[in-house]
Amino acid sequence: MQRSSWLGLAFLSPALVVVLLFFLIPVVLTGFFAFTNMSTATGVKGGAYVLNTSGLRALADAGLPKSTLEQIEGAGYRVDAKGLEALAADFGQPVADEFASLHDGEVFSKRRDVERALKDLRSNPIRKTRDRKIAADLFKRSLLNERFDTLPGFEAALEEAGIPDADRPLITQVAYTGWVWTTENFGFLMSLDSTWQYAKNTIIYVVFTLSFNVLFGLFLAIATFYLPSGQAATFRAIWFLPRILPPVLYIVMWRWFTWDTGFISTVLSGFGVSPRNWMLDTELHAWTTIVLINGFVGASMGMIVFSSAIRAIPSSMLYASEVDGASRLQQIWHIILPQLRWPILFITSYQTMSLLTSFEYIYLATDGGPGGATEVWALAAFHTALNNYGGNLQYGLGATYALLLVIIGLAASLAYLRLFNFRNLIQKPRIEG
Amino acid sequence: MRISIENFTKTFGDTTVIKDMSLEIRSGEMLALLGPSGCGKSTTLFAICGIHRMNGGRLLFGDKDVTRVSSQKRNVGVVFQNYALYPHMNVFDNIAFPLKVRKETRAEIDRKVQEIANLVHIGELLHRKPAQLSGGQQQRVALARALVREPDILLLDEPLANLDAKLRLEMRSEIRRIQQQTGITAVLVTHDQVEAMSMCDRIAIMDNGKIVQLSSPKEMYEDPTSDFVAGFLGNPPIAFLEGKAAGGGFRLANSEITLPVPSGITIPDHGAAMRFGIRPEFFQPNNGLKLNGKISFVETQGREELYDVMLENGAVLRSIQSQGAGHKLGDEVSWGIAEDRILAFGPDGRRL
Ligand SMILES: Nc1ncnc2c1ncn2[C@@H]1O[C@H](COP(=O)(O)OP(=O)(O)OP(=O)(O)O)[C@@H](O)[C@H]1O
Ligand SMILES: [Mg+2]
């Protein structure tokens, strides 16, 4: 590399650091979360090892032998400090001391054996059968609901309970409460019907909104180009309003517009149409509203970019086409539109990317309703990972949705570049004007 | 096709650029609109092809009033100063564009484009984009595009301004050849007087939105109606001597010298200001009407040499002579004016 290139890199380095911190790291983290099963239940830090009844059920479903399950549930009777303490508290210290001196550290597999041992105490036998039962239960040890903070501790307990080696990995996996690496998220998502519904919704959303954005933006730019400059400026300012309005305010206005006591209902009630929520009453209305809400915002951006691109076309070229006999429409079709190829590509790909990932207007307007009809992929990712009705936020699954979105976005932008033949575009004409 | 411009007025906002201009261009002739920058040449051209609306006056093609006809319907071919080729189309499509918008058949378009491309010698370049052409080639493409649909009128706005000296010389005769071959009525806008004189049948000299003289190049050179016209034509340019009428003669300013006024020139009243215009080729060592001076500047122009001679009163005359006379800077000389070639102008600049 030349010295000047190093110098350039040095100048760029602050920007590179910022890009790394605020852009790349979130992307990398998303990719990382997508391969975990993180959720509210697992937490984002490591977990412990606990077997509870639902875990036991899962193990049974997984085909663990019944004997093993029983071993887990009743892992025997152990004479240890904990049991002795309880015994001392209920039946007096002397009983505990004597029992300890005879059997400390012993493990009985059946309660009857414990009871007999208690009955056989020479100086302080427990005489009543019921008491012996209660006392024996104090030494009952089970893997169920026992919490182990470390893997070695859990494994030792399994060993002690005499669980067969072959069953241990599965039990360990089920017992672990923290998150683990997994590649199952992808398969799981693909197996969900709702995922394909989100995909379909996203395609509807992007295709219609994008068409509206680009075509309407083009229309506005071309129309204002042929207007006298004063009128054109007013027109552009009006179409720019949605963009500079705060999104929440903008949506509130739309909601007011479509409410059952809002503008449309009020006006139409004059014609005998019963009031209703025009935004949410049918899927078609919901989609229409969503496309218009996003479309007007996007169109203003297209309009600005296309307008300046049209004005950058040398006027002599437009004059030339006029004296060559081209009508307005022919002029637009043959002269203006071909020279807008690059801005159109830019707006189309840029808007595709931002529409794929944007859900804030949908979130504020319909929140995916009615009945999930407008739940797009990005909104689903948000709901899954960060805003779930059930309360169990599935970070890993949500990140998987997001990661798939990133991959689709990359593929789409590559396709666009191919489609518009990027290399030809960057070749600049040599003549000025 | 004859073009008649009658009482043409053009304003941009508050500024009147052209006021009450009338001009008639004969059918089949090539007319030069010649004038300094900003005098309104392009404006006039744009009014003829309909790009600019006229604020007043009438425009006739032949006997047809086209004042209100849109530029699309006037059938005028225009070559713009920067060529205005369409950068996204190749040469073929550029030339074919006027035919395509008229929805001519593919075969018809092919034939006409090929024919016109051969006429302007760019037959092998049809598949190239404008960006891949030299300035001269682009110029020919623009010319071909203007000519391909056989327009009634051809307008050229400084078509040679972007070319180098050699190419310009070539294209001058090329354009003239094509114009004569097609017999089209053409208007050439230029501020280069050599271009105007060498290419055109007649020249209209414009100044400040007005046409100050309209005549053939030779007539305009030899018989200018004002000092502006005399000063505009000729290279190296004419030199002027300031002075006033004194008796029957011309008294040079700040000097005792009085020159006789040639016959045929009306002498103004005694004491009125006057100017003599003397072209460099008519101030020579062996002419009759001698003036003394000192050579203040020498410039070699290939076959010829140009001298500036400063007279005793500080006025400067120019002389152009063939190589080898051997005059040097600072030499005292006594050269003469060709008396019958003196151009005399009154105080308002009008020819006397
Ligand atoms: N669109 C316009 N708006 C305002 N003034 C204009 C406009 N077009 C031309 N003018 C003015 O009209 C006058 C004549 O312009 P024009 O282009 O006809 O000059 P020109 O003779 O072609 O000069 P050049 O040799 O430099 O091309 C100039 O003073 C120019 O400033
Ligand atoms: Mg001009």
Side-chain angles (χ1 to χ4, degrees):
Chain A
M1 215 186 285
Q2 287 178 335
R3 240 175 74 206
S4 58
S5 334
W6 287 113
L7 198 66
L9 269 184
F11 277 121
L12 269 179
S13 54
L16 286 178
V17 167
V18 170
V19 165
L20 205 70
L21 269 183
F22 298 107
F23 179 72
L24 277 180
I25 288 187
V27 173
V28 170
L29 279 181
T30 305
F32 158 80
F33 284 140
F35 291 93
T36 70
N37 66 349
M38 275 187 203
S39 67
T40 315
T42 67
V44 290
K45 292 190 284 187
Y49 297 85
V50 180
L51 278 172
N52 48 24
T53 38
S54 72
L56 222 50
R57 220 175 300 129
L59 285 173
D61 291 346
L64 214 62
K66 202 150 186 220
S67 59
T68 312
L69 290 174
E70 274 167 5
Q71 273 175 307
I72 293 171
E73 215 167 346
Y77 297 78
R78 171 197 287 271
V79 182
D80 55 7
K82 191 176 152 203
L84 289 170
E85 218 168 274
L87 187 67
D90 288 0
F91 297 91
Q93 191 67 44
V95 181
D97 284 347
E98 190 183 357
F99 193 57
S101 67
L102 290 172
H103 300 289
D104 193 13
E106 253 177 74
V107 177
F108 301 87
S109 58
K110 299 207 173 62
R111 192 170 64 188
R112 226 174 333 121
D113 300 339
V114 187
E115 284 176 41
R116 189 172 303 133
L118 284 168
K119 192 181 168 191
D120 291 349
L121 288 179
R122 201 149 304 158
S123 27
N124 306 297
I126 299 174
R127 295 190 204 282
K128 282 186 187 158
T129 318
R130 235 189 77 204
D131 285 349
R132 280 204 299 274
K133 269 190 182 148
I134 294 171
D137 272 342
L138 292 175
F139 295 94
K140 184 180 181 192
R141 291 293 170 263
S142 165
L143 285 176
L144 211 58
N145 295 328
E146 196 80 39
R147 187 183 173 87
F148 301 89
D149 285 333
T150 62
L151 183 59
F154 186 65
E155 280 172 343
L158 290 179
E159 175 76 43
E160 227 158 63
I163 308 280
D165 279 350
D167 295 335
R168 285 184 198 174
L170 184 62
I171 297 171
T172 311
Q173 192 192 330
V174 170
Y176 187 59
T177 63
W179 58 269
V180 292
W181 295 107
T182 173
T183 51
E184 278 163 22
N185 288 339
F186 295 90
F188 177 65
L189 281 192
M190 293 303 150
S191 71
L192 291 177
D193 284 345
S194 53
T195 303
W196 299 104
Q197 182 64 37
Y198 302 152
K200 207 183 94 196
N201 289 349
T202 307
I203 290 172
I204 294 176
Y205 171 60
V206 171
V207 167
F208 282 93
T209 312
L210 188 66
S211 316
F212 187 90
N213 276 350
V214 174
L215 294 180
F216 197 57
L218 261 180
F219 170 77
L220 285 176
I222 291 172
T224 52
F225 176 67
Y226 285 115
L227 281 180
S229 58
Q231 288 173 34
T234 319
F235 228 72
R236 286 198 203 103
I238 290 173
W239 286 109
F240 208 59
L241 269 181
R243 181 156 282 272
I244 53 178
L245 221 54
V248 177
L249 207 62
Y250 176 58
I251 299 298
V252 164
M253 278 176 46
W254 269 95
R255 296 185 101 150
W256 170 79
F257 197 66
T258 53
W259 259 340
D260 43 7
T261 55
F263 181 80
I264 300 182
S265 293
T266 310
V267 169
L268 287 184
S269 68
F271 299 93
V273 180
S274 61
R276 67 187 81 163
N277 187 330
W278 288 92
M279 189 193 287
L280 289 171
D281 63 339
T282 67
E283 290 187 11
L284 180 66
H285 286 172
W287 275 121
T288 310
T289 326
I290 293 296
V291 168
L292 288 181
I293 286 175
N294 285 279
F296 283 135
V297 175
S300 63
M301 158 139 178
M303 175 189 71
I304 296 299
V305 172
F306 297 145
S307 282
S308 51
I310 293 176
R311 272 177 292 175
I313 299 176
S315 56
S316 66
M317 209 177 297
L318 299 175
Y319 291 156
S321 67
E322 273 169 39
V323 298
D324 280 347
S327 65
R328 273 283 153 83
L329 279 180
Q330 286 171 322
Q331 188 178 54
I332 291 168
W333 185 252
H334 292 293
I335 310 297
I336 293 182
L337 284 182
Q339 305 206 46
L340 292 185
R341 226 160 77 128
W342 173 239
I344 289 174
L345 164 69
F346 168 71
I347 288 291
T348 308
S349 47
Y350 178 87
Q351 297 274 37
T352 308
M353 298 311 123
S354 47
L355 284 173
L356 272 178
T357 54
S358 82
F359 59 88
E360 63 271 26
Y361 287 112
I362 304 182
Y363 174 59
L364 291 168
T366 66
D367 197 14
T374 56
E375 178 97 0
V376 294
W377 195 284
L379 185 59
F382 169 71
H383 278 150
T384 310
L386 299 168
N387 194 351
N388 194 318
Y389 301 111
N392 184 19
L393 304 183
Q394 295 175 292
Y395 312 124
L397 214 53
T400 311
Y401 275 120
L403 186 66
L404 285 176
L405 205 55
V406 169
I407 293 167
I408 293 168
L410 279 177
S413 37
L414 287 178
Y416 276 128
L417 290 184
R418 183 54 62 82
L419 188 68
F420 281 80
N421 212 345
F422 191 60
R423 262 187 217 100
N424 281 0
L425 281 171
I426 31 189
Q427 195 178 53
K428 278 254 180 263
R430 206 152 38 119
I431 44 161
E432 55 94 34
Chain B
M1 174 119 8
R2 181 171 52 92
I3 307 170
S4 316
I5 303 171
E6 294 174 1
N7 311 103
F8 165 41
T9 301
K10 178 71 201 174
T11 57
F12 289 113
D14 295 336
T15 42
T16 302
V17 176
I18 310 270
K19 197 159 187 305
D20 205 23
M21 174 209 275
S22 292
L23 175 64
E24 183 150 326
I25 302 156
R26 295 177 197 137
S27 185
E29 84 170 333
M30 184 146 175
L31 180 107
L33 268 184
L34 181 63
S37 189
C39 70
K41 306 181 295 289
S42 297
T43 306
T44 307
L45 209 68
F46 283 3
I48 296 177
C49 63
I51 289 169
H52 286 339
R53 289 286 116 114
M54 295 165 66
N55 295 97
R58 285 203 320 156
L59 176 68
L60 289 94
F61 289 174
D63 294 324
K64 194 170 155 235
D65 187 339
V66 294
T67 317
R68 311 243 157 263
V69 175
S70 73
S71 54
Q72 283 91 343
K73 301 225 174 69
R74 289 195 190 183
N75 199 23
V76 176
V78 184
V79 176
F80 290 85
Q81 180 170 350
N82 57 12
Y83 312 141
L85 298 178
Y86 310 126
H88 53 285
M89 301 182 195
N90 65 18
V91 170
F92 181 94
D93 289 332
N94 261 283
I95 300 175
F97 185 72
L99 306 176
K100 213 178 281 144
V101 298
R102 283 201 302 203
K103 308 226 155 50
E104 298 200 4
T105 64
R106 189 75 215 174
E108 190 83 333
I109 292 177
D110 276 349
R111 187 181 62 75
K112 286 187 182 170
V113 170
Q114 207 60 54
E115 199 175 288
I116 204 79
N118 290 338
L119 184 71
V120 298
H121 305 314
I122 50 166
E124 326 77 59
L125 306 174
L126 290 178
H127 57 278
R128 293 216 203 154
K129 286 275 172 70
Q132 300 163 325
L133 298 179
S134 75
Q137 289 165 335
Q138 290 181 19
Q139 204 272 328
R140 286 163 207 240
V141 176
L143 194 60
R145 185 179 67 187
L147 288 171
V148 72
R149 69 209 144 119
E150 292 149 30
D152 301 325
I153 289 154
L154 178 64
L155 304 179
L156 305 127
D157 192 357
E158 311 203 18
L160 308 179
N162 288 350
L163 306 183
D164 68 50
K166 184 167 171 291
L167 197 55
R168 195 179 306 187
L169 217 63
E170 237 169 72
M171 288 310 297
R172 256 190 228 158
S173 46
E174 195 89 334
I175 291 177
R176 180 60 163 162
R177 169 180 71 83
I178 291 163
Q179 186 264 334
Q180 283 177 332
Q181 211 165 322
T182 50
I184 195 171
T185 310
V187 181
L188 172 81
V189 161
T190 176
H191 51 223
D192 179 349
Q193 44 105 7
V194 183
E195 211 168 285
M197 301 223 295
S198 61
M199 288 172 73
C200 295
D201 300 305
R202 288 196 302 162
I203 298 175
I205 290 209
M206 283 185 74
D207 185 24
N208 236 331
K210 287 202 186 65
I211 290 187
V212 290
Q213 190 172 352
L214 173 63
S215 28
S216 71
K218 183 168 156 36
E219 193 183 327
M220 184 142 320
Y221 188 76
E222 289 174 354
D223 197 12
T225 56
S226 69
D227 55 354
F228 174 79
V229 175
F232 209 85
L233 288 191
N235 186 26
I238 196 168
F240 289 104
L241 291 176
E242 308 290 335
K244 54 180 188 269
F250 173 64
R251 163 76 59 86
L252 284 180
N254 309 321
S255 157
E256 297 303 309
I257 302 170
T258 305
L259 298 177
V261 174
S263 56
I265 293 175
T266 349
I267 306 167
D269 296 339
H270 182 83
M274 256 179 96
R275 314 172 81 186
F276 267 14
I278 294 132
R279 294 201 183 276
E281 60 270 37
F282 303 130
F283 181 57
Q284 298 290 336
N286 41 14
N287 280 343
L289 192 56
K290 297 285 188 206
L291 280 171
N292 297 327
K294 197 164 140 189
I295 295 179
S296 61
F297 177 79
V298 180
E299 186 184 283
T300 307
Q301 295 190 331
R303 268 177 294 110
E304 287 157 336
E305 257 166 330
L306 174 67
Y307 303 101
D308 280 8
V309 176
M310 190 184 281
L311 306 184
E312 283 149 10
N313 70 343
V316 174
L317 282 181
R318 268 182 217 103
S319 172
I320 191 153
Q321 301 172 18
S322 42
Q323 280 278 19
H327 305 294
K328 285 189 300 295
L329 192 67
D331 283 0
E332 300 277 352
V333 293
S334 175
W335 291 344
I337 301 168
E339 218 173 319
D340 53 339
R341 298 299 194 145
I342 292 174
L343 304 170
F345 302 95
D348 54 358
R350 290 256 283 283
R351 180 85 177 278
L352 297 174

